[in-house]
Amino acid sequence: MTMFEGILLTIVTAATPLLFVAIGELVSERAGVLNLGVEGMMAVGAVCGFAIAHLSGSPILGIFAAILGGMIMASLFAVVTLIFVANQVASGLALTLFGLGLSALIGDAFVGIPGIGLPKIDIPGLSDIPVIGSLVFGLDPLTYLAVAITIAVSWFLFRTRGGLILRSVGDNHVSAHALGYGVVRVRFMAVLFGGACAGLGGAYLSLVYTPQWTQNMTAGRGWIALALVVFASWLPYRVMIGAVLFGGISILQLHAQGFNVPIPSQFLTMLPYLTTVIVLVLISRNRTLLRINTPACLGQPFVPDR
Amino acid sequence: MRIELIRRPERSSAMSLLSPIIAIVLTVITGFFIFLAIGVDPLEALYIYFIEPLTAWWTVEALLIKAAPIILIAIGLSLCYRSNNWNIGAEGQLVAGAIAGSVFPILVPEWNGPLVLPVMLLMGIAGGMLYGAIPALLKIRFGTNEILTSLMLVYVAQLFLDWLARGPWRNPEGYNFPDSREFDGWQVLPVVFGDDVRLNAIFVLIAVAVAWFVLSRTITGFQISVLGQAPRAAAFAGFSQKRMVLMTFLISGGLAGLAGICEVAGPIEMLRTSVSPGYGFTAIIVAFLGRLNPVGILFAGLLLALSYIGGEGIQIVLGVSDQITRVFQGMLLFFVLTCDTFIFYRVRFVSTRRSAAAEATP
């Protein structure tokens, strides 16, 4: 394997967790719910995945535990914001604080234990093709899952009746309600999907990216994923592009640190965060693009009148 | 079974007083079960967490020391949130204030006279304000989401501080520890009360009083509320939304910066790689628990400071991770936000069967 291939591979592994989390948040935002708790859901997913994989010896069980963990966290948020119509921004922050604390509490017993990595898929023959072989056919199964979910979400949102209902709920909840769609029910499911994806993103960190548990191992990735959704102007395929871009930047800074570039490591570590700010500024200058795609009811509470 | 919310004709004043109390009670009850789940005696744990810190004078002092920065920041944040500006980067503005305020005591340590502390405090405030102005200006100029930018800048500030403390500002005589030189003499906040309660406790009282006055007695306070609750009405009244974005971010950034330099010149007495255990985030909870009201924030800040002290106590005595503090804080914010719903809504439980029957016979 050449070094170039190696770098491309690490970019893919850095992009995958972002893709999981961002695509889940995209669905929930398309339904009109701004869930700022992704960082917390991701952390809980990471610790659940690691703990169950360690205790059962099966990384597959760990992944399911991570999905479940993320969904339980998401359901907390959904109950508070959708049924009790609490402020979504503040509730999301609460979910992040709660999730980071809870994951650290659960993970206390698992610090320093080597984790169980997920085996990579290896298709004999195909994986041996130079350059694209390992990049297209030799990845870990979760990366394929992330891409599959992205394609499925794009198809669901723009090619199915269910997707149309979900977008109508996010764009005009009063009309959607008047047409007889259960606004709260649709949103609840969208938030749960977001939680499941965030859990998967977390599991990817603790089972594939660095198979171990450390406190705060999400390191702001949940927030970057939130920015990715804005960057992608709520379109699934652009999330994929954005995830690779941000994955690339975080890998670039790692390699730069490895090559003793004469810039202090702290400044290189800042890069993904600074890039997020710059990208957000650039994207928000294009107001028409945002106006067309931003769900009109994003973050607004809805109380059905009867 | 279904839950229905019915809007009250007017806000319930009983609930607006009761809701924080109900939230606290619910948090304690849930905490009971969490302690049970992790296998410690829940009653003993709750006693250590919530009661024991109040039984000794030195822990009460520790509580006041922790409460001061939290309340200062929360006062500023409450102005932001009232006007619908979501500054969640107070932690970064705190760090910026700590760095800016430390410029003179670290680079010009010989300067040690009565003027040095006021200059440090002003530099700290200015540092926090400048850092808070970044997300505000980006929001005004480009419409960039201030939630994400203010939060991203927290990581940037913390990494910058880390570089300063390990690199150029490290104490050359510090045996390679990542700390700056210790501040001394006039560079340190004077103790005003007890053994270690410093001047920033007075700043807190002033901030609470001024915020209360501004919010309830001035046109600016009125503008803040109108902009938050009815942006269109505010636009027709000619209140400038853009000016308010900048103003609230400058105030909250400045107060966070003040809190930051007061930590560095106060309990810590030096610049380190980390100067705050997340006060900027805790202040968000305090602002909401205090119902965005300055006096409420004063009490809420004391309670959240208790959660820090209690968390430390429980780690020492029972060996439970002090991360339980964040669990409690997150839970409390959840409960507060949920309970706030009952100020504006009544809840009715409808049995699905009966409502289906009612719909069948209109």
Side-chain angles (χ1 to χ4, degrees):
Chain A
M1 192 189 291
T2 62
M3 204 186 102
F4 179 65
E5 261 178 276
I7 290 180
L8 286 182
L9 266 179
T10 46
I11 289 177
V12 172
T13 48
T16 307
L18 292 175
L19 181 57
F20 270 125
V21 181
I23 204 73
E25 177 67 15
L26 183 141
V27 170
S28 125
E29 290 193 14
R30 274 283 182 179
V33 187
L34 179 66
N35 184 353
L36 294 183
V38 280
E39 180 89 5
M41 300 192 295
M42 204 178 170
V44 168
V47 77
C48 287
F50 185 88
I52 297 299
H54 176 75
L55 293 176
S56 70
S58 154
I60 307 289
L61 273 183
I63 288 167
F64 280 108
I67 295 176
L68 192 68
M71 283 174 90
I72 291 172
M73 291 291 286
S75 65
L76 280 179
F77 177 82
V79 167
V80 172
T81 58
L82 299 177
I83 294 178
F84 291 107
V85 294
N87 182 307
Q88 290 180 9
V89 175
S91 307
L93 292 174
L95 192 68
T96 290
L97 286 171
F98 180 69
L100 288 176
L102 187 67
S103 63
L105 197 63
I106 299 172
D108 221 25
F110 299 98
V111 173
I113 297 175
I116 305 166
L118 202 62
K120 288 194 175 185
I121 289 182
D122 193 31
I123 309 166
L126 287 178
S127 320
D128 302 330
I129 304 168
V131 187
I132 62 155
S134 55
L135 269 179
V136 180
F137 301 106
L139 301 171
D140 55 275
L142 281 181
T143 303
Y144 297 112
L145 181 64
V147 175
I149 288 179
T150 310
I151 295 169
V153 162
S154 184
W155 174 79
F156 171 77
L157 283 178
F158 300 106
R159 292 281 180 274
T160 69
R161 188 176 163 73
L164 187 65
I165 293 172
L166 187 139
R167 285 187 290 135
S168 74
V169 164
D171 274 329
N172 192 333
H173 49 213
V174 178
S175 301
H177 176 67
L179 286 170
Y181 301 127
V183 173
V184 173
R185 197 172 59 234
V186 170
R187 287 189 171 166
F188 209 109
M189 289 191 293
V191 170
L192 283 186
F193 179 78
C197 287
L200 270 171
Y204 191 88
L205 288 182
S206 65
L207 292 175
V208 180
Y209 195 67
T210 47
Q212 58 172 333
W213 165 255
T214 47
Q215 211 173 311
N216 294 334
M217 74 184 301
T218 46
R221 285 190 182 83
W223 294 103
I224 291 179
L226 276 165
L228 263 181
V229 179
V230 182
F231 166 80
S233 54
W234 292 270
L235 297 171
Y237 291 122
R238 291 200 189 164
V239 169
M240 201 143 41
I241 300 169
V244 172
L245 181 76
F246 276 91
I249 290 163
S250 55
I251 290 306
L252 187 80
Q253 57 96 0
L254 276 184
H255 281 281
Q257 290 186 23
F259 279 113
N260 289 326
V261 175
I263 302 172
S265 66
Q266 289 94 341
F267 288 92
L268 293 168
T269 316
M270 272 179 208
L271 269 181
Y273 308 113
L274 280 177
T275 317
T276 309
V277 173
I278 293 164
V279 161
L280 279 174
V281 169
L282 292 179
I283 213 77
S284 47
R285 288 178 65 186
N286 189 345
R287 304 227 169 156
T288 32
L289 180 78
L290 284 185
R291 200 174 303 136
I292 292 167
N293 288 311
T294 311
C297 287
L298 185 59
Q300 290 175 17
F302 177 72
V303 182
D305 54 332
R306 286 174 214 279
Chain B
M1 252 281 281
R2 199 175 64 210
I3 299 170
E4 258 181 31
L5 296 180
I6 297 158
R7 201 169 176 93
R8 294 177 194 271
E10 54 191 294
R11 53 179 292 165
S12 154
S13 49
M15 268 316 291
S16 47
L17 274 179
L18 274 179
S19 94
I21 296 166
I22 298 175
I24 293 165
V25 172
L26 286 172
T27 309
V28 171
I29 294 173
T30 321
F32 181 90
F33 289 107
I34 289 183
F35 283 126
L36 207 59
I38 54 180
V40 295
D41 178 6
L43 287 178
E44 189 193 357
L46 285 176
Y47 175 80
I48 296 171
Y49 202 102
F50 289 107
I51 314 281
E52 198 171 72
L54 300 174
T55 57
W57 174 242
W58 70 270
T59 42
V60 173
E61 255 192 29
L63 191 145
L64 294 177
I65 293 165
K66 286 229 186 304
I70 300 176
I71 297 170
L72 264 184
I73 302 169
I75 293 280
L77 291 182
S78 71
L79 298 180
C80 277
Y81 300 161
R82 267 174 184 257
S83 62
N84 230 345
N85 289 306
W86 294 96
N87 178 8
I88 60 170
E91 183 81 4
Q93 291 140 25
L94 180 153
V95 170
I99 294 172
S102 306
V103 167
F104 282 111
I106 289 174
L107 297 182
V108 199
E110 316 80 60
W111 183 32
N112 206 333
L115 263 179
V116 68
L117 188 64
V119 169
M120 283 166 64
L121 294 175
L122 288 176
M123 296 269 293
I125 295 173
M129 284 173 108
L130 284 177
Y131 212 61
I134 301 172
L137 291 174
L138 293 179
K139 181 181 182 178
I140 294 168
R141 180 74 184 80
F142 303 111
T144 312
N145 182 324
E146 79 276 20
I147 300 174
L148 293 170
T149 49
S150 63
L151 189 96
M152 286 297 137
L153 289 172
V154 174
Y155 292 100
V156 175
Q158 284 173 337
L159 286 163
F160 188 71
L161 172 66
D162 191 81
W163 171 70
L164 278 179
R166 289 178 200 279
W169 283 12
R170 194 176 61 196
N171 185 2
E173 288 127 41
Y175 305 103
N176 262 336
F177 280 108
D179 301 326
S180 77
R181 64 171 284 273
E182 262 186 61
F183 300 176
D184 53 11
W186 293 98
Q187 298 160 345
V188 175
L189 272 187
V191 174
V192 291
F193 183 66
D195 291 323
D196 214 23
V197 179
R198 304 191 184 226
L199 193 60
N200 53 348
I202 308 287
F203 298 156
V204 169
L205 296 178
I206 296 172
V208 170
V210 170
W212 174 82
F213 181 79
V214 167
L215 284 174
S216 60
R217 295 281 182 276
T218 67
I219 187 88
T220 313
F222 180 67
Q223 287 184 347
I224 289 176
S225 303
V226 177
L227 272 164
Q229 288 166 15
R232 269 172 69 81
F236 287 130
F239 302 162
S240 164
Q241 169 121 38
K242 290 184 173 178
R243 218 180 53 210
M244 194 58 73
V245 175
L246 188 61
M247 194 185 83
T248 52
F249 265 86
L250 284 178
I251 295 174
S252 60
L255 285 173
L258 179 63
I261 183 60
C262 286
E263 282 306 291
V264 173
I268 308 178
E269 296 196 354
M270 62 171 89
L271 203 64
R272 290 192 311 216
T273 52
S274 159
V275 290
S276 148
Y279 289 143
F281 295 112
T282 309
I284 300 171
I285 303 172
V286 167
F288 279 101
L289 184 62
R291 325 228 53 259
L292 304 183
N293 169 315
V295 181
I297 287 172
L298 185 65
F299 289 106
L302 291 170
L303 181 76
L304 267 284
L306 179 66
S307 79
Y308 273 112
I309 310 278
E312 285 170 11
I314 222 158
Q315 185 175 32
I316 295 164
V317 181
L318 298 177
V320 176
S321 160
D322 66 344
Q323 289 296 320
I324 190 110
T325 305
R326 277 152 98 184
V327 176
F328 268 101
Q329 292 181 350
M331 244 170 19
L332 183 61
L333 183 52
F334 262 134
F335 283 127
V336 172
L337 294 167
T338 311
C339 290
D340 275 3
T341 302
F342 300 108
I343 298 172
F344 297 100
Y345 296 94
R346 276 190 301 124
V347 167
R348 199 171 63 180
F349 294 96
V350 192
S351 102
T352 336
R353 222 177 308 135
R354 197 170 1 120
S355 75
E359 271 161 34
T361 53

